[in-house]
Amino acid sequence: MKSENSMCIVLRATNYRETDRMLTLFSREKGRIDALARGCRKPDSSLLASSDIFCCADFGFNIQKDRYYVTQAVPRENFYALRSDMKALMTATLFCEVCERTVMPQESNPRLFALLAGALYALSGGADSGDVFFFFLIKLLDILGLRPVTGHCALCGAPTAGRVSISAGGMLCADCPGQQAPAGLEEKIETVLATPSKNIASTPLGVDEKTMALALNWLTDTLEAQPKSMVLLRTVWKIF
């Protein structure tokens, strides 16, 4: 048996047996961790406050045969305010699902951890959910090595002309095949790429429904599947 400690964000929490819970955690140092929190659902458990989705806490683990067991947790932030705004709640849920799909076990990903933490703080603090979603998407693409192309056509290198292609990965010229971009899209992308994730809450972008629809489709294309939580987010936004 060995012990470890790590700051983590809870991406998923699934009830198990009578009082336990299986947690999918995003560790800043260890990537994705699946851990069992025994007895955490008991009213007097010291783990209760740290065993719900979105919670950021300092976790302690015992590791037996490559299985993680939560032994202690000191909460840093629970983001309870998210639950009072349906758009913010569904956006945050989607972020956690995206991280669960993209973060690998035992692989540190500090940039994505900082992005998720910044996004949760922004949503919990009342930032516009559309702006936060767009910021998260563009930063995610950059982290995954799919940085959107701006400043020149993603296909031929000519000057851009207010057109975009998700499959090409960015802005286009007037002659290459694509679609008309929402107003100000290129400027919004460049703003996000130049802004640290910690400043997400103080970066208003003015994302409208057309930009949001494009961003949702861009994320689906990147993941090669539509996350379950995106269906609910589309319903909340009335984007189908």
Side-chain angles (χ1 to χ4, degrees):
M1 181 188 301
K2 63 178 181 178
S3 300
E4 286 185 3
N5 296 282
S6 181
M7 183 169 71
C8 303
I9 296 174
V10 181
L11 302 179
R12 181 189 294 270
T14 305
N15 290 343
Y16 178 68
R17 295 179 177 172
E18 292 186 5
T19 60
D20 303 341
R21 187 167 281 173
M22 291 297 302
L23 304 180
T24 300
L25 306 171
F26 185 177
S27 163
R28 184 171 58 183
E29 297 85 6
K30 295 288 186 178
R32 194 180 74 238
I33 295 174
D34 294 313
L36 177 62
R38 287 172 171 163
C40 69
R41 293 159 57 203
K42 295 179 180 179
D44 59 347
S45 173
S46 62
L47 304 178
L48 181 62
S50 303
S51 59
D52 204 358
I53 188 172
F54 311 135
C55 180
C56 179
D58 293 312
F59 285 87
F61 306 98
N62 278 339
I63 306 170
Q64 303 177 37
K65 298 180 180 179
D66 295 326
R67 294 183 179 181
Y68 281 72
Y69 300 87
V70 179
T71 56
Q72 61 182 5
V74 179
R76 287 174 174 250
E77 178 59 62
N78 287 313
F79 302 107
Y80 284 127
L82 288 172
R83 292 157 176 80
S84 62
D85 183 313
M86 184 56 69
K87 282 186 178 179
L89 176 62
M90 296 314 307
T91 302
T93 301
L94 177 58
F95 291 165
C96 287
E97 185 175 353
V98 169
C99 288
E100 186 178 354
R101 287 170 174 260
T102 56
V103 176
M104 300 302 293
Q106 301 301 316
E107 289 189 13
S108 175
N109 196 332
R111 289 185 64 199
L112 185 53
F113 185 93
L115 175 60
L116 177 59
L120 293 179
Y121 273 108
L123 291 170
S124 184
D128 182 83
S129 57
D131 287 0
V132 176
F133 180 87
F134 186 82
F135 192 109
F136 184 92
L137 168 68
I138 300 303
K139 283 292 189 184
L140 175 70
L141 293 172
D142 189 26
I143 292 169
L144 295 178
L146 302 171
R147 185 183 181 94
V149 177
T150 62
H152 59 85
C153 178
L155 292 175
C156 72
T160 59
R163 293 170 59 75
V164 65
S165 169
I166 292 174
S167 60
M171 306 303 297
L172 301 177
C173 66
D175 298 324
C176 288
Q179 67 183 80
Q180 188 65 31
L185 177 66
E186 187 167 9
E187 291 77 11
K188 290 180 176 65
I189 293 174
E190 291 176 343
T191 295
V192 172
L193 292 175
T195 304
S197 293
K198 64 181 181 180
N199 295 335
I200 184 172
S202 57
T203 310
L205 297 169
V207 171
D208 57 17
E209 289 187 3
K210 289 183 179 180
T211 305
M212 186 66 176
L214 176 69
L216 288 167
N217 291 336
W218 205 328
L219 178 59
T220 300
D221 183 81
T222 300
L223 299 177
E224 298 182 344
Q226 179 169 259
K228 293 180 180 178
S229 52
M230 187 183 288
V231 177
L232 296 176
L233 184 61
R234 286 182 180 275
T235 301
V236 172
W237 272 89
K238 299 181 180 178
I239 296 173
F240 304 99

